[in-house]
Amino acid sequence: APDVNLEEITSSKQNAEVLRRLRDNVRWEGNKLCITEGVDDDDDYNDDDEEIVFSIREGDDLGWLGYFIGRNQSLDKLFINFMP
């Protein structure tokens, strides 16, 4: 999985960064991940937030998201806010 090009399996720079953190077991304040229905604006991403947000859009490979969540050893809380 370290050879996976994260930009090719996500719809945005924000989501690629989320996958990188999950893949590399990077800890962040709060260690919370929120998965939500797509938002078109990557500018809401703040590196200092207690949670990181993965916004589901067309082009996101949710299989890889699940894989990286499952292998991650740093994540404390997972919130899924996706109600189609």
Side-chain angles (χ1 to χ4, degrees):
D3 296 332
V4 174
N5 183 339
L6 301 177
E7 287 77 22
E8 289 182 3
I9 61 171
T10 58
S11 61
S12 68
K13 289 183 272 186
Q14 171 185 332
N15 287 352
E17 175 63 14
V18 170
L19 292 183
R20 184 194 65 77
R21 287 179 176 211
L22 290 170
R23 179 193 65 195
D24 297 344
N25 278 304
V26 173
R27 294 190 68 78
W28 60 93
E29 188 176 336
N31 291 310
K32 295 183 269 185
L33 170 62
C34 180
I35 300 172
T36 186
E37 190 169 4
V39 178
D40 290 333
D41 191 1
D42 276 353
D43 294 336
D44 290 340
Y45 181 65
N46 183 346
D47 222 11
D48 298 329
D49 288 344
E50 288 189 11
E51 68 182 28
I52 57 175
V53 177
F54 187 96
S55 296
I56 299 172
R57 297 182 204 96
E58 188 174 333
D60 289 314
D61 187 328
L62 300 183
W64 279 111
L65 175 62
Y67 176 81
F68 290 132
I69 288 172
R71 297 192 47 90
N72 184 278
Q73 298 175 354
S74 305
L75 188 62
D76 291 332
K77 294 182 181 178
L78 172 64
F79 301 94
I80 301 174
N81 300 325
F82 183 68
M83 304 298 279

